[in-house]
Each structure stands twice: as C-alpha cells, then as structure tokens.
Amino acid sequence: MNIFSIIILGTLLGTFFIKLVADILNMKAAGAVLPVEFQDVYDQEAYEKSQNYLRHSTVFSLVAAAFELLILLVFWFAGGFNFLDSMVRGLDFSSLVTGILYIGILLFLQGLVSLPFSIYQTFVLEEKYGFNKTTPLTFVSDKLKGVLLGLLLGTPVLAGLLWFFENSGSLAWVWAWVAVAFFGFVLQYVAPTVIMPLFNKFTPLEDGELKSAIMGYAKSVDFPLSGIFVIDGSKRSSKANAFFTGFGKQKRIALFDTLIENHTVTELVAVLAHEIGHYKKKHIVIAMFLSIINMGIVFFLLSIFLNNRDLFDAFYMENLSVYASLLFFSLLYSPVEFVLSVVLQSLSRRHEFQADHYAVETYSEGSTLVEALKKLSRTNLSNLTPHPFYVFLNYSHPPVLQRIERIRRELSTATF
Ligand SMILES: [Zn+2]
C-alpha cells in the first residue's frame, strides 16, 4: 500500500459510504401521507406504488454498486491489471494497438459485469411498476448498437489521446485537449441528426393545434426552431420527457410521444417554454464551457502523473505505459470528480429554477407548468419528498414541490 492506493481506496469506499447514507436518509424521508399539492393527480394507491418503486430501485442500485465495487477491488488486489497487461503485451502489437486493446478489454469486462443488472432493471424492476415497454429484441439491439458506436467513436479518440501523450512532449495535454474538445463539439452537432435516430424514430410533429401553439410561442420569444419532433419513447418506457438538442441551425425540440399523450396543449407549450428558457439563459453554452475547462484540467493533471512509478506500484504493475496511466489517473481523479459533480448538480438545479421562471415570465399560460410538473411526477412515479442530503448529492433538478412553490410565488407577483 502506498499513498496512491490509500487515496484511491479511500475514495472508492468513502463515496460508496456517503451514497449509502444518502440513500438510507432518502428512503426514511418518504412519508406515508400524500402531500396536499398532489391530491388531485395521485390516489393513495398510486402514492404507495411510487414509494415501493423508490425503495425497490434504491436497494437495487445499492446492490449493483456494491457488487461492481467488490469486483473492482478483487480485480485490483489480485493483480488483475498487471495480469491483463502482460497478456496483451505478449501479443506484440505496437504500443498504440496494445493500449487500445488493454482499455477496450477492460471496458468490455465492465460491461459484462453490469449486464445482469441492466437486464434486471429493465425486465424486472421497471416491468413490475408498469414502466417497461422494451422488448428483448430492442434490448439486444440497443446493446449491440451501443458497443458498435463505442468502438466507432471511442477508438479514434483513445488512439488520438495515446498518440499525443506518447509523441508530442510536454504540450501533449494541450493538443489532446483541443482535439478532444473539437471532437466533442462535432459530436454534439451531429448527434441529433445522425446518432439519436439510430435508437429512436423522430417524426415531425403534424400540423394542428399543438404545432401552431408551439410555433406561436416560439415566434413570440424570437426563437427560431428548425424542427419539432415526436420521438417514440414508448418503444422502451412509459416514462415521459422532453428535451432539446443541437445548436445553431440544428436546434430541435423533441417531445416524447408518452408526454403528448398525457398533457394538454398549454401544458406542453409550458414545458417547451421551460426548455427554450434553458437555451435563452445560455445554460447549454455554460455547461459546455465548464466541461471543456474540466477536460483541460484533467489532461494537464494527467500529464503530471503520466508514467508515475508510485501510481503504477499501487496497481502492482511491472511496466509503465501511457494507456495504463490514463486509466489509473481516472481513478486517482475520482475524489475531485465527486466534488465537481456535486457543484455542477447544484448549478444545474439553479438553472432549472431559472428555466421555470423564464416559462412563467414569457408564456401567458405559464401557470399550466405546475399542472405539467404534477402530471409528470405521477407518470414517472417521482419521489415527492426526497431528503435534502440526497438532493444535494444527486439531483440535477430541484424537488418538484420546491419548483411548484417557486412558480406559484412568481405567478402571484407577475403582471401579464
Ligand atoms: Zn430543465
């Protein structure tokens, strides 16, 4: 054991323990009495179902996380990282190919470990609460497409990273940063038109009351839309959502078919007004900027810990390599990543309030956002009373009751 093993082991166990505490508090915070606000969309039976769903999914994710952690620790302390390294080196490929194989095999093994959990989640957990619509065929084809996409997109990125860090000296981290940031930018640009349609059907919203209401609102806030699409979310789950993708001329709004089914026209426009709020308040640009900054810091620190003998000793490695440095550094960085994620979640929750505010401020029927949020909570069996510590660690959106309270307050002071 050296200082690096202690830091990494401490972080893995520490974050697991913190999450465990948050999960327990969260389950205890789920009260038996339905909050008054929701009495018009829930009945006691549905509320009890949502609480069972919370308990079942919490215990499930704890078991999955504990098992995956255990496998990682056994692999680590049994010398698995070095064993695999000597095996791959034995094949005698160039260092670039060796690196891609090494990391590729580890990712494949990780996928294999999580596969039974993924199957359980879809076909047992989500099925039991009536959410699952995924057929075994869709499940298998999703997994295969995921692997192929990972190979197609991941291999060149990994090859580029390894090449820069092996060949371009002390400024390698800058080149790697620029290249990966550029790649990410291109990917975001093509994702809505090339990648997402591989998984879902995007149908342009047909002419009618909903489309003209959306277009009318978008025009009133000067928001050019290249398309409004309905996506077949019902192919996998009855849960509902709406999202916004792309930027520049590629801006698209996608509404789940499951969302359209359950909501009135004004509710749907209010949901879209919220999404447009994210764009208008520059939340998408801010998130992208922060992730690019984070990436730069990661690559700079990585360049400092490249081929660090002590770090390799912590994993019982005989030979140094850039590819294994990449992997071990990502584990060493995890405490920073944990803190960063908490900070970013908190920023995201603020952005959600701002987007709600935007919707209420710019849409004359903004008050229907409250109805939309309530119905969405019911459809998705959301936890209505999460524990504040759990929210602090995990929630990218504020608890729905807080959002409703805030919207009501703003409505009472707003003048239309
Ligand atoms: Zn939002």
Side-chain angles (χ1 to χ4, degrees):
M1 283 282 226
N2 65 21
I3 182 73
F4 288 117
S5 354
I6 294 170
I7 293 175
I8 295 170
L9 184 62
T11 308
L12 290 172
L13 296 175
T15 45
F16 182 79
F17 180 72
I18 293 172
K19 285 180 180 164
L20 175 71
V21 170
D23 276 340
I24 293 172
L25 289 174
N26 201 39
M27 283 193 283
K28 284 197 164 161
V33 184
L34 175 65
V36 181
E37 179 72 67
F38 288 90
Q39 279 173 359
D40 55 341
V41 286
Y42 267 87
D43 53 37
Q44 192 58 31
E45 195 188 339
Y47 185 59
E48 271 163 27
K49 187 172 159 195
S50 82
Q51 299 213 312
N52 290 335
Y53 179 57
L54 171 72
R55 276 187 283 271
H56 195 161
S57 50
T58 307
V59 172
F60 163 74
S61 56
L62 273 175
V63 171
F67 183 74
E68 280 163 19
L69 178 61
L70 185 72
I71 295 283
L72 172 62
L73 294 181
V74 169
F75 189 79
W76 174 4
F77 290 105
F81 288 107
N82 188 57
F83 176 76
L84 180 65
D85 193 39
S86 28
M87 232 173 69
V88 177
R89 279 173 188 268
L91 299 173
D92 230 11
F93 287 116
S94 69
S95 68
L96 203 69
V97 177
T98 308
I100 291 171
L101 275 177
Y102 186 71
I103 292 185
I105 291 172
L106 282 173
L107 288 176
F108 179 75
L109 290 177
Q110 190 188 35
L112 225 49
V113 170
S114 65
L115 184 63
F117 293 104
S118 174
I119 294 173
Y120 180 89
Q121 180 170 31
T122 308
F123 296 106
V124 180
L125 178 64
E126 297 288 299
E127 182 78 37
K128 185 175 170 195
Y129 295 92
F131 291 127
N132 181 42
K133 298 279 178 277
T134 312
T135 62
L137 184 67
T138 306
F139 185 85
V140 172
S141 91
D142 277 358
K143 290 285 174 208
L144 288 178
K145 282 181 210 165
V147 170
L148 280 177
L149 261 182
L151 283 173
L152 215 64
L153 301 172
T155 314
V157 172
L158 183 59
L161 275 182
L162 295 176
W163 190 86
F164 281 122
F165 280 106
E166 280 177 15
N167 298 296
S168 46
S170 61
L171 281 182
W173 68 274
V174 179
W175 298 118
W177 185 19
V178 172
V180 176
F182 179 73
F183 188 81
F185 192 74
V186 172
L187 207 60
Q188 278 227 19
Y189 201 76
V190 300
T193 44
V194 181
I195 297 174
M196 290 180 194
L198 294 176
F199 293 89
N200 279 95
K201 205 155 69 199
F202 283 70
T203 320
L205 180 64
E206 27 182 276
D207 291 328
E209 195 193 348
L210 178 58
K211 189 173 177 183
S212 35
I214 292 173
M215 292 313 248
Y217 169 77
K219 205 167 166 227
S220 77
V221 290
D222 191 26
F223 184 83
L225 268 178
S226 78
I228 309 165
F229 293 84
V230 181
I231 87 168
D232 55 346
S234 58
K235 186 174 154 189
R236 295 190 182 81
S237 171
S238 60
K239 289 184 176 173
N241 208 344
F243 63 90
F244 183 83
T245 64
F247 44 90
K249 285 209 172 71
Q250 295 290 322
K251 280 200 296 281
R252 280 176 162 206
I253 267 174
L255 296 164
F256 276 49
D257 50 1
T258 41
L259 184 76
I260 295 179
E261 239 168 63
N262 292 321
H263 293 263
T264 64
V265 168
T266 52
E267 284 168 14
L268 289 167
V269 177
V271 170
L272 281 186
H274 169 101
E275 297 301 324
I276 290 176
H278 280 308
Y279 186 84
K280 288 276 184 177
K281 300 278 177 189
K282 311 242 180 310
H283 297 159
I284 295 155
V285 180
I286 293 172
M288 217 159 80
F289 177 76
L290 288 176
S291 87
I292 288 176
I293 297 288
N294 178 39
M295 199 189 294
I297 296 170
V298 168
F299 286 151
F300 172 69
L301 291 175
L302 166 66
S303 73
I304 293 178
F305 287 100
L306 215 56
N307 292 326
N308 181 305
R309 188 63 256 181
D310 289 337
L311 185 56
F312 275 71
D313 283 344
F315 290 92
Y316 314 112
M317 295 288 280
E318 287 163 39
N319 300 295
L320 299 175
S321 60
V322 170
Y323 55 85
S325 298
L326 228 65
L327 180 74
F328 300 148
F329 175 75
S330 73
L331 285 165
L332 183 64
Y333 189 68
S334 52
V336 184
E337 204 165 60
F338 179 69
V339 174
L340 270 181
S341 103
V342 171
V343 174
L344 289 177
Q345 303 269 41
S346 141
L347 180 71
S348 162
R349 290 193 298 273
R350 268 183 49 191
H351 285 169
E352 292 305 323
F353 278 135
Q354 288 173 7
D356 284 346
H357 176 76
Y358 181 87
V360 170
E361 196 182 47
T362 57
Y363 180 44
S364 56
E365 305 283 340
S367 62
T368 52
L369 187 57
V370 170
E371 301 315 310
L373 286 173
K374 280 159 68 167
K375 280 195 199 167
L376 266 174
S377 303
R378 167 72 183 83
T379 311
N380 298 343
L381 293 181
S382 311
N383 182 7
L384 303 179
T385 53
H387 190 277
F389 184 58
Y390 189 88
V391 173
F392 175 73
L393 289 185
N394 301 303
Y395 268 43
S396 61
H397 287 56
V400 66
L401 268 169
Q402 277 182 28
R403 288 177 71 182
I404 292 175
E405 260 167 39
R406 183 88 69 116
I407 293 168
R408 287 208 200 286
R409 249 198 337 263
E410 277 162 8
L411 281 169
S412 64
T413 54
T415 45
F416 287 112

